[in-house]
């Protein structure tokens, strides 16, 4: 198995890329474990013993969904592999324990094939343990089984003889705001920013994170601004995105309050501009496509429905249909 440190291959989805680039930083990966895994072995992990495996594992049956992060923990006493599957979609995959098993077997197969025959056939040959994990950011509760044996029919009768493992679950939307703000680190801040929110709510969350962000190093702060630029910014109306780029590029950790203030001003200006656009006489008359675009931008900016009706002439039903489309 290759052990080159560096950026992993590009994933299939922009959101996947955000988490993969984030977790390619060993410090952030270790934060993930130490913040959200309540097990004794976590405390003993040293960042210097972690090696990012510069490879992604693709299975033919699941290639459409593939996005993962792999680390090896190598010390004098331990040789452990962490395998994290990024499940960044709205639906729960009930085949998850089976999918993880296939990936784990693929990793072991590669290790076996890359081990000299004499060594792998010796009495002392051991495969490294693999700790599987899932990072999920869907809005729905994660209801798939957490252990492999629970996918097996009648496992209760034969449990002593069956293969089993229990995977770690990082469920982004299930952590409370209080817990994430209290953690005061990069990964907890990203989780809070990734939870479903309108632009105004996002500004409130940034304000609550301001104290923690001020204490971050420039590299840690860069993770926050990169996430805002590449994952959050595309969800904002197109007309504000260039301005958001300029604001995020111009600030340092100790200027976070100014950054938030500038973002709030930009959002308010955009809101007023869209309202004006919607009210221009004859601009949207008879052009449903234009009305829908204005309504979409106003919804993204959390403008109330009555104001959108006045600005566009759309019916409440049409606006509610558009809102549901945006939520999905």
């Amino acid at each position: 198995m290759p052990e080159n440190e560096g950026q992993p291959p590009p994933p299939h989805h922009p959101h996947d890329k955000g988490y993969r680039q984030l977790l390619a930083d060993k410090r952030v990966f270790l934060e993930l474990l130490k913040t959200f895994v309540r097990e004794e072995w976590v405390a003993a992990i040293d960042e210097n013993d972690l090696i990012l495996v510069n490879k992604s594992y693709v299975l033919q049956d699941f290639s459409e969904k593939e996005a993962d992060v792999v680390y090896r923990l190598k010390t004098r006493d331990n040789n452990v592999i962490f395998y994290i599957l990024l499940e960044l979609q709205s639906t729960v995959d009930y085949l998850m324990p089976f999918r993880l098993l296939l990936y784990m077997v693929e990793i072991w197969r590669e290790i076996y094939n890359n081990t000299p025959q004499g060594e792998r056939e010796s009495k002392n040959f051991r495969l490294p343990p693999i700790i599987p994990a899932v990072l999920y950011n869907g809005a729905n509760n994660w209801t798939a089984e957490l252990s492999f044996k629970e996918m097996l029919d009648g496992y209760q009768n034969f449990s002593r003889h069956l293969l089993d493992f229990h995977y770690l679950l990082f469920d982004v939307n299930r952590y409370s705001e209080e817990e994430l703000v209290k953690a005061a680190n990069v990964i907890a801040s990203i989780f809070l920013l990734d939870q479903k929110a309108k632009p105004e709510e996002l500004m409130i969350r940034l304000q609550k994170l301001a104290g923690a962000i001020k204490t971050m190093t420039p590299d840690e702060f860069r993770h926050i601004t990169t996430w805002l630029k590449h994952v959050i910014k595309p969800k904002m109306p197109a007309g504000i995105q260039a301005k958001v780029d300029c604001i995020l590029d111009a600030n340092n950790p100790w200027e976070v309050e100014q950054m938030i203030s500038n973002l709030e001003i930009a959002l308010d200006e955009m809101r007023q501009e869209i309202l004006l656009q919607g009210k221009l006489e004859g601009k949207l008359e008879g052009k449903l496509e234009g009305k829908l675009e204005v309504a979409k931008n106003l919804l993204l900016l959390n403008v109330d429905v009555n104001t959108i009706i006045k600005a566009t002439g759309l019916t409440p039903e049409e606006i509610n249909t558009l809102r549901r489309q945006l939520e999905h």
Side-chain angles (χ1 to χ4, degrees), residues 62 67 85 93 116 205 239:
F62 298 108
L85 193 62
D93 189 339
R205 291 178 183 178

Side-chain angles (χ1 to χ4, degrees), residues 180-185 189 204-217 220-221 253-257 260:
L180 296 176
V181 171
K182 184 178 179 181
N185 58 29
S189 300
I204 293 171
R205 291 178 183 178
L206 274 171
Q207 288 168 348
K208 291 182 178 180
L209 293 169
I213 293 174
K214 274 188 190 178
T215 67
M216 291 181 180
T217 66
E220 290 172 330
F221 181 69
W254 51 89
E255 298 170 325
V256 65
E257 281 102 343
I260 296 168

Side-chain angles (χ1 to χ4, degrees), residues 16-40:
D16 300 345
K17 182 179 179 181
Y19 271 115
R20 291 191 69 183
Q21 289 184 339
L22 182 67
L23 294 175
D25 184 327
K26 292 193 290 185
R27 292 168 298 177
V28 178
F29 175 74
L30 193 51
E31 277 182 0
L32 177 72
L33 296 180
K34 295 198 171 187
T35 304
F36 301 109
V37 179
R38 315 288 188 225
E39 298 188 30
E40 291 183 7

Side-chain angles (χ1 to χ4, degrees), residues 6-12 17 20-21 53-57 66 68:
Q7 295 298 323
H12 294 292
K17 182 179 179 181
R20 291 191 69 183
Q21 289 184 339
V53 177
N54 192 23
K55 174 171 182 175
S56 185
Y57 289 85
E66 174 275 327
D68 55 18

Side-chain angles (χ1 to χ4, degrees), residues 94 96-97 100 132 134 142-151 164-170:
Y94 297 104
M96 182 53 70
L100 287 170
V134 173
W142 183 259
T143 51
E145 306 293 359
L146 294 177
S147 66
F148 178 74
K149 70 179 181 183
E150 292 176 273
M151 286 200 68
D164 191 28
F165 61 85
H166 189 286
Y167 60 92
L168 299 171
L169 176 65
F170 303 104

Side-chain angles (χ1 to χ4, degrees), residues 8 20 36 68 72 86 101 104 122-124 128 130 168 173 181 188 193-194 228 247 255 270-271 280 286 307 323:
R20 291 191 69 183
F36 301 109
D68 55 18
R72 184 193 287 268
L86 304 178
L101 175 65
M104 292 161 71
S122 73
K123 180 180 179 180
N124 295 324
I130 300 174
L168 299 171
N173 282 288
V181 171
L193 296 175
D194 194 31
L228 288 169
I247 292 169
E255 298 170 325
M270 186 67 191
R271 186 185 296 108
L280 286 175
T307 302
R323 189 202 301 278

Side-chain angles (χ1 to χ4, degrees), residues 86-97:
L86 304 178
E87 191 71 359
L88 306 177
Q89 53 188 10
S90 57
T91 56
V92 175
D93 189 339
Y94 297 104
L95 281 174
M96 182 53 70

